Amino acid sequence: MTAADNNPLIDRRQAMRGAAMAGAGAMFLSPAMALSASSDMSAIRRAAEAGRQASIQRIQDWIKLPSIAAEDRNMPEGADYMASLAQDAGFQHVEIVPTDGYPGVFATLDAGAPRTLGIYFMYDVKQFDPAEWSSPPLAGAIVDRPGFGKAIMGRGAVNQKGPEATFLAALHAIRAAGRKLPVNIVLIAEGEEEIGSPHFKQVATKPNVLAALKKCEGIFIPASWQDKNGNVSVNLGSKGIVELELVASGEKWGRGPKGDIHSSLKAMVDSPTWRLVQALQTLVTPDGNTPAIDGWFENVRPLTAREKALIAETARNSDEAQRKAILGVETWIDDLPFEQALQRLAQEPTVNIEGLVAGYTGPGGKTILPGAATAKIDLRLVPNQTRAEAETKLRAHLDARGFPDVEVNVSGGYDPTETDENSRLIRTELATYERAGITATLNPRLAGSWPGATFTAPPVSIPAGHFGMGHGAGAHAPDEYYVVESTNAKVAGLVDATMGYADFLYQLAAIR
Amino acid sequence: MTAADNNPLIDRRQAMRGAAMAGAGAMFLSPAMALSASSDMSAIRRAAEAGRQASIQRIQDWIKLPSIAAEDRNMPEGADYMASLAQDAGFQHVEIVPTDGYPGVFATLDAGAPRTLGIYFMYDVKQFDPAEWSSPPLAGAIVDRPGFGKAIMGRGAVNQKGPEATFLAALHAIRAAGRKLPVNIVLIAEGEEEIGSPHFKQVATKPNVLAALKKCEGIFIPASWQDKNGNVSVNLGSKGIVELELVASGEKWGRGPKGDIHSSLKAMVDSPTWRLVQALQTLVTPDGNTPAIDGWFENVRPLTAREKALIAETARNSDEAQRKAILGVETWIDDLPFEQALQRLAQEPTVNIEGLVAGYTGPGGKTILPGAATAKIDLRLVPNQTRAEAETKLRAHLDARGFPDVEVNVSGGYDPTETDENSRLIRTELATYERAGITATLNPRLAGSWPGATFTAPPVSIPAGHFGMGHGAGAHAPDEYYVVESTNAKVAGLVDATMGYADFLYQLAAIR
């Protein structure tokens, strides 16, 4: 869910367009210049450059083994492969962690350092249809991406095998340069991210894993989300999400038909589709913009003054007209000014319809009265709402409104997350970006969602976020790619992104 | 639209199950016994039997040429073929009638008789996917249909090439027997029935066609809807229909996105899908059962005492529990008793949702905010509503409710029809069925719809209905078939159905 779900302002299918959204960014200073002050860094860069081809091969090989939980495809194989990647990168303890679903992987690299960094990986990828791709999705071919450079094209290239393998490349380079890691590393990986991480908490709370995680200064997922101006966001949290289907059916209702019947019978038979429509419209205000589920706002924490200030800064530094153009939007909700619209983006829980499916969905019409109707819904949650609370309240609301038969089939979800901007994790992210000459915007709350709450909530309770340089796009879409040789001076290629991770480790060790 | 839309109590995909719905039927007396009183009939039957193989071949050959208006497939060829079929059957004047769409065919067979019968044909068929068929849909193979006998399987077999060619077989047989036709015949055919007959009125009101139609005692479409007990309905009219799509989009609304965007943006961007839901729920009462469109009932004529009496008789003669079981329905609307539910079926206009399509419709979820949402709707109309009135009132209602941007895209429709049970057409139908020992139920109003209003309304203004013996099923579905050799003593095969048409012509000539 992460990669498709993390960018609040663009559909990642349109990442090339999305990249144009950023405001003016600072000139990207080559990491070669920014980092060469340290002799460690010079040696590591030489090793990263020497290992560049091996690093590309590592990504390509990994892409050849797609693990897809929704299709029960290569799941044990994917966990084993993840484990071997960790071993090769120098982790001394590597462990497959069984769950009630597909296994996770836990690994530790003890450098004898005072501080420890957590790293979160997913070894699974989104489903794909080879027919939609311009290059075979498992081939990992090197292709040209105008404006960015040479990229690996394949399923998982950016979501997340490319960035993850780049982090591993940093560990390889530090070892190859004969340097000792400045921090210890705890790696936790799952194979069910794309189906909503239903068993990830089992991995994270296994006693030895939990104990290791709790020692971490924080944990991040490697990410490569530089836009074409080189800019990145540092997220201080994210909304939660519940994805579900609301289903009205004659079967459950006891009224209407159990299957599709001829539409003329509407005069004497109830319609489950109309029932769904009636149930749906109780969930939001008449403008469709504010949840109207009973008690929904009870635990909603308003934005702090600091969060509002950060949003105001983002609004000032963004090109509103360009964002509207890219999104195909003429006006924000309630005709709000941009700053207030961005506040709403961070502040408000939402009830969104992702899809409607009932009866005949092909071209033209077909005279049927459908036996069932489905709305695909996502509920976005803000602190201090929880996923469990949301599910309970939605069910209670429908029951109270006379829709006990309308099914709520939850497929996955995450709690909201929050990470203190004064944590060493966030301060290290900002420091590392600054050393690389990258403009980082502090985002108080990602409107998208990710499994970070597993880390920020008890019992783990550590800072969690996203970090990384470089660029890729097409997560969940055809022609997914990850740039390995950048022709854009503001955007890191594979070696510069590798050095970004290496520098992060040294900064985390050094920061006060 | 006819065949898929004519049977109010079953989905024609389930016609085998539907056939079991009828109440106890009278024993089917062989037409050979019922009709042999007349020496004309004996000679014609011998000719029909001699021509049996040619009649089967005529149906199979016609099936090989599928004309599909929605696909612009074989349309001029289909009209030419229809014209040649008419010529072969003895029509002296045969004319292709151009329209703004695809052409119709008009033909007359002048027997110098005092009375004239109108016949309505469609030469087009519904789209099909060969992969879904157990026998190639254009092959017209002879297959076994247990409980019925040997049948031709192919697209158009029952809807309507089989029954139509059987009517032509009657004309061939009468000529081969050396008999003069007892009535003159006016044939009018169209190639756009399956897309809602958008240009059929142009055919029917061409001056020479109109003049010929106005001379007819009435007009029928050949039909083969005997159930497995041999029973048929005689319809005294039908509801009208408007098929349309309601579309809400960011494009038209000027709010929300023009395409799909990331669902987290719901917090700052309006949703066209929620707008569709809100517009939809204004169209009906909260139970989804009664139209709430402004002024909808202004011109609705209540059922007459006679219509209610006919419905009461149908209710008495039907097995309610069996009908519910076949439809997968536990309770009728408002928990009505069966007779009142059947009254409602005939009486009430409806707003039905055939389908909902918005955003992501595949398995699982996808975090998008869709740029547009569509509801496929059919409006069933009763006398004295009209299609034009319905379209105007729906638009006005949406405008008045603040939804001027929600598009109403009408794809087709028909006005309601009414035919006097005392007309010669209906009396002849009843007499012919009775002579064949077939139980015919008078149905005051078909809840389905067909293009009959073109005939019953001005300027044509003649009785119109359905007539025919025999059996077939699977209209609009895979494995469509038409029985040619019946093993069910209560159901006519090809020759008996041919004789049914021949006898109709003699009865129409003779009835007072």
Side-chain angles (χ1 to χ4, degrees):
Chain A
M1 199 170 287
T2 297
D5 206 63
N6 50 34
N7 192 323
L9 285 170
I10 56 165
D11 175 350
R12 290 191 67 86
R13 284 184 181 272
Q14 305 176 324
M16 293 299 293
R17 289 166 62 198
M21 270 176 20
M27 181 64 189
F28 181 84
L29 302 177
S30 162
M33 294 170 57
L35 305 179
S36 62
S38 135
S39 74
D40 278 351
M41 284 298 115
S42 300
I44 293 166
R45 171 168 286 275
R46 282 193 299 276
E49 277 168 354
R52 185 176 170 280
Q53 195 48 49
S55 297
I56 290 173
Q57 190 66 50
R58 194 177 292 118
I59 299 170
Q60 290 172 321
D61 289 346
W62 200 0
I63 286 172
K64 286 190 175 71
L65 182 77
S67 296
I68 301 176
E71 298 178 350
D72 190 27
R73 181 172 180 183
N74 296 328
M75 295 308 297
E77 295 83 352
D80 287 349
Y81 200 89
M82 178 73 258
S84 67
L85 283 172
Q87 267 157 346
D88 292 348
F91 286 83
Q92 301 113 341
H93 172 82
V94 180
E95 176 186 347
I96 306 273
V97 183
T99 72
D100 292 343
Y102 294 110
V105 176
F106 167 62
T108 54
L109 200 170
D110 183 355
R115 290 182 183 164
T116 302
L117 172 68
I119 294 291
Y120 164 72
F121 274 18
M122 51 189 278
Y123 67 81
D124 61 328
V125 296
K126 194 72 179 175
Q127 299 97 303
F128 57 92
D129 176 1
E132 299 176 346
W133 289 61
S134 68
S135 168
L138 302 183
I142 304 292
V143 301
D144 259 321
R145 292 280 95 177
F148 288 102
K150 291 201 184 304
I152 295 175
M153 181 169 287
R155 174 49 84 226
V158 69
N159 177 206
Q160 295 280 332
K161 289 175 174 175
E164 289 169 357
T166 304
F167 179 84
L168 297 178
L171 303 187
H172 281 279
I174 291 169
R175 187 173 54 184
R179 266 46 181 196
K180 201 166 82 72
L181 273 180
V183 294
N184 313 308
I185 314 274
V186 169
L187 173 69
I188 179 169
E190 67 166 317
E192 297 182 330
E193 203 275 349
E194 294 294 4
I195 58 168
S197 309
H199 304 98
F200 185 50
K201 196 168 181 181
Q202 294 178 16
V203 184
T205 57
K206 182 166 180 279
N208 63 328
V209 179
L210 176 60
L213 284 173
K214 288 185 79 68
K215 286 182 196 151
C216 296
E217 297 295 328
I219 187 164
F220 71 73
I221 179 169
S224 298
W225 299 339
Q226 281 192 284
D227 65 25
K228 73 172 182 186
N229 295 309
N231 301 335
V232 295
S233 281
V234 170
N235 299 311
L236 300 178
S238 69
K239 286 186 175 178
I241 188 172
V242 184
E243 273 198 279
L244 59 93
E245 291 190 344
L246 285 189
V247 183
S249 67
E251 189 71 47
K252 289 273 172 165
W253 189 14
R255 306 191 68 83
K258 293 191 172 56
D260 297 350
I261 61 173
H262 193 266
S263 75
S264 62
L265 290 156
K266 179 68 204 81
M268 65 191 290
V269 178
D270 296 273
S271 163
T273 308
W274 276 122
R275 186 157 180 79
L276 179 72
V277 168
Q278 296 295 347
L280 279 175
Q281 60 99 11
T282 71
L283 301 182
V284 292
T285 49
D287 60 7
N289 289 340
T290 303
I293 302 166
D294 299 337
W296 206 246
F297 287 84
E298 265 173 359
N299 297 317
V300 169
R301 164 178 85 64
L303 290 176
T304 63
R306 170 63 177 162
E307 286 168 331
K308 287 184 182 172
L310 288 172
I311 291 168
E313 197 179 323
T314 297
R316 275 194 301 277
N317 294 331
S318 305
D319 183 337
E320 179 185 10
Q322 197 181 34
R323 290 197 183 193
K324 281 183 170 173
I326 286 161
L327 294 173
V329 164
E330 288 176 20
T331 179
W332 307 118
I333 268 183
D334 296 333
D335 297 317
L336 290 174
F338 190 43
E339 182 182 333
Q340 280 67 45
L342 287 178
Q343 273 189 18
R344 209 180 183 291
L345 181 66
Q347 170 65 67
E348 294 299 318
T350 56
V351 180
N352 175 61
I353 300 178
E354 299 178 349
L356 292 174
V357 196
Y360 177 69
T361 58
K366 186 174 171 192
T367 49
I368 57 168
L369 191 177
T374 298
K376 295 171 186 285
I377 302 270
D378 60 59
L379 309 169
R380 300 279 175 176
L381 310 175
V382 300
N384 298 316
Q385 293 182 293
T386 68
R387 179 185 156 176
E389 170 201 355
E391 292 182 28
T392 303
K393 284 182 173 171
L394 174 60
R395 181 70 270 165
H397 171 94
L398 289 169
D399 292 349
R401 291 296 185 290
F403 299 101
D405 54 290
V406 173
E407 293 172 74
V408 178
N409 299 326
V410 174
S411 57
Y414 306 121
D415 287 326
T417 70
E418 292 186 280
T419 285
D420 186 344
E421 69 174 303
N422 297 311
S423 63
R424 284 204 182 95
L425 180 81
I426 300 300
R427 287 190 290 121
T428 303
E429 287 194 22
L430 293 171
T432 309
Y433 285 134
E434 190 179 0
R435 285 163 53 84
I438 293 172
T439 300
T441 306
L442 264 183
N443 183 5
R445 185 178 300 152
L446 188 65
S449 308
W450 75 298
T454 305
F455 308 118
T456 59
V460 183
S461 304
I462 58 174
H466 312 75
F467 176 77
M469 301 169 193
H471 172 82
H476 294 201
D479 288 357
E480 180 178 352
Y481 69 90
Y482 176 66
V483 171
V484 291
E485 188 181 323
S486 177
T487 54
N488 179 330
K490 295 176 180 174
V491 174
L494 179 62
V495 171
D496 285 344
T498 302
M499 293 310 296
Y501 290 121
D503 195 41
F504 182 99
L505 301 180
Y506 282 87
Q507 296 308 315
L508 180 63
I511 210 162
R512 66 183 165 75
Chain B
M1 197 173 284
T2 298
D5 207 62
N6 50 33
N7 192 321
L9 284 171
I10 57 166
D11 175 348
R12 291 192 66 86
R13 284 185 181 271
Q14 305 177 326
M16 292 300 292
R17 287 166 64 198
M21 270 175 22
M27 181 65 189
F28 181 83
L29 302 178
S30 161
M33 293 170 57
L35 305 179
S36 62
S38 138
S39 76
D40 279 351
M41 284 299 115
S42 299
I44 294 167
R45 170 168 288 274
R46 282 192 300 275
E49 276 167 355
R52 184 175 171 280
Q53 194 48 50
S55 297
I56 290 172
Q57 190 66 48
R58 194 177 292 117
I59 299 170
Q60 291 172 319
D61 289 346
W62 201 0
I63 285 171
K64 288 191 174 69
L65 182 75
S67 296
I68 300 176
E71 297 178 351
D72 190 26
R73 181 172 178 183
N74 297 327
M75 295 309 297
E77 296 83 353
D80 287 348
Y81 201 88
M82 178 73 259
S84 67
L85 283 171
Q87 266 156 346
D88 293 349
F91 286 82
Q92 301 113 342
H93 173 81
V94 180
E95 175 188 346
I96 306 273
V97 182
T99 72
D100 292 343
Y102 294 111
V105 177
F106 167 62
T108 53
L109 199 170
D110 183 354
R115 291 182 182 162
T116 302
L117 173 67
I119 295 292
Y120 164 73
F121 275 18
M122 52 189 276
Y123 68 81
D124 61 326
V125 296
K126 194 73 179 174
Q127 300 97 302
F128 57 92
D129 176 0
E132 299 176 345
W133 290 61
S134 67
S135 168
L138 302 182
I142 304 292
V143 301
D144 261 322
R145 294 280 95 177
F148 287 102
K150 292 202 185 303
I152 296 175
M153 181 169 287
R155 173 50 84 228
V158 69
N159 175 209
Q160 293 280 332
K161 289 175 174 175
E164 288 169 357
T166 304
F167 179 83
L168 296 178
L171 304 187
H172 282 278
I174 292 169
R175 187 172 54 181
R179 266 45 180 195
K180 201 166 82 74
L181 273 179
V183 294
N184 314 308
I185 314 274
V186 169
L187 173 69
I188 180 170
E190 68 166 317
E192 297 183 331
E193 203 275 349
E194 295 293 4
I195 57 168
S197 308
H199 304 98
F200 185 50
K201 197 169 180 180
Q202 294 178 15
V203 183
T205 56
K206 182 165 180 281
N208 61 329
V209 179
L210 177 59
L213 284 173
K214 288 185 79 70
K215 287 182 197 150
C216 296
E217 298 295 328
I219 187 166
F220 70 74
I221 179 169
S224 298
W225 299 338
Q226 282 193 282
D227 64 26
K228 73 173 182 187
N229 295 310
N231 301 333
V232 295
S233 281
V234 170
N235 298 311
L236 299 179
S238 67
K239 286 186 175 177
I241 188 172
V242 184
E243 274 198 278
L244 59 92
E245 291 190 344
L246 285 189
V247 183
S249 67
E251 189 70 47
K252 289 273 171 168
W253 189 14
R255 307 192 65 86
K258 292 189 173 58
D260 297 349
I261 61 174
H262 193 266
S263 76
S264 62
L265 290 156
K266 180 67 204 82
M268 65 192 290
V269 178
D270 295 274
S271 163
T273 308
W274 276 122
R275 185 158 181 80
L276 179 72
V277 168
Q278 297 294 345
L280 279 174
Q281 60 99 12
T282 71
L283 301 182
V284 293
T285 49
D287 60 8
N289 289 340
T290 303
I293 302 166
D294 298 338
W296 205 247
F297 286 84
E298 265 174 356
N299 297 317
V300 169
R301 163 177 87 63
L303 290 176
T304 63
R306 170 64 176 159
E307 288 169 331
K308 286 183 182 171
L310 288 172
I311 291 168
E313 197 179 322
T314 298
R316 275 193 303 276
N317 295 330
S318 305
D319 183 335
E320 179 185 9
Q322 197 181 34
R323 290 198 183 193
K324 281 184 170 172
I326 286 160
L327 294 173
V329 164
E330 289 176 20
T331 179
W332 307 120
I333 268 184
D334 296 334
D335 297 316
L336 290 175
F338 190 42
E339 182 182 333
Q340 280 66 46
L342 287 178
Q343 273 189 16
R344 208 181 185 292
L345 180 67
Q347 170 65 68
E348 295 298 319
T350 56
V351 180
N352 176 60
I353 301 178
E354 300 178 349
L356 292 173
V357 196
Y360 176 70
T361 58
K366 186 175 169 190
T367 49
I368 58 168
L369 192 178
T374 298
K376 294 170 188 285
I377 301 271
D378 60 60
L379 310 170
R380 300 278 174 177
L381 310 176
V382 300
N384 300 315
Q385 294 182 293
T386 67
R387 179 185 155 177
E389 170 200 355
E391 293 182 30
T392 303
K393 285 182 172 169
L394 175 60
R395 180 70 272 163
H397 171 94
L398 289 170
D399 291 350
R401 292 295 186 290
F403 299 101
D405 54 291
V406 173
E407 293 171 74
V408 177
N409 298 325
V410 175
S411 57
Y414 306 121
D415 285 327
T417 70
E418 291 186 281
T419 285
D420 186 346
E421 69 174 301
N422 297 311
S423 63
R424 286 206 181 93
L425 181 80
I426 299 301
R427 287 189 291 121
T428 303
E429 289 195 21
L430 293 171
T432 309
Y433 285 134
E434 191 179 359
R435 284 163 54 83
I438 293 173
T439 300
T441 306
L442 265 183
N443 182 5
R445 186 177 298 151
L446 188 66
S449 308
W450 74 299
T454 306
F455 308 118
T456 59
V460 183
S461 304
I462 58 174
H466 313 76
F467 177 78
M469 302 171 193
H471 172 82
H476 292 200
D479 288 357
E480 179 178 354
Y481 69 91
Y482 176 66
V483 171
V484 291
E485 188 180 323
S486 177
T487 54
N488 179 331
K490 296 177 179 173
V491 174
L494 179 62
V495 171
D496 285 344
T498 302
M499 294 309 297
Y501 290 121
D503 195 41
F504 182 98
L505 301 180
Y506 281 87
Q507 297 308 315
L508 180 63
I511 210 161
R512 66 185 165 75

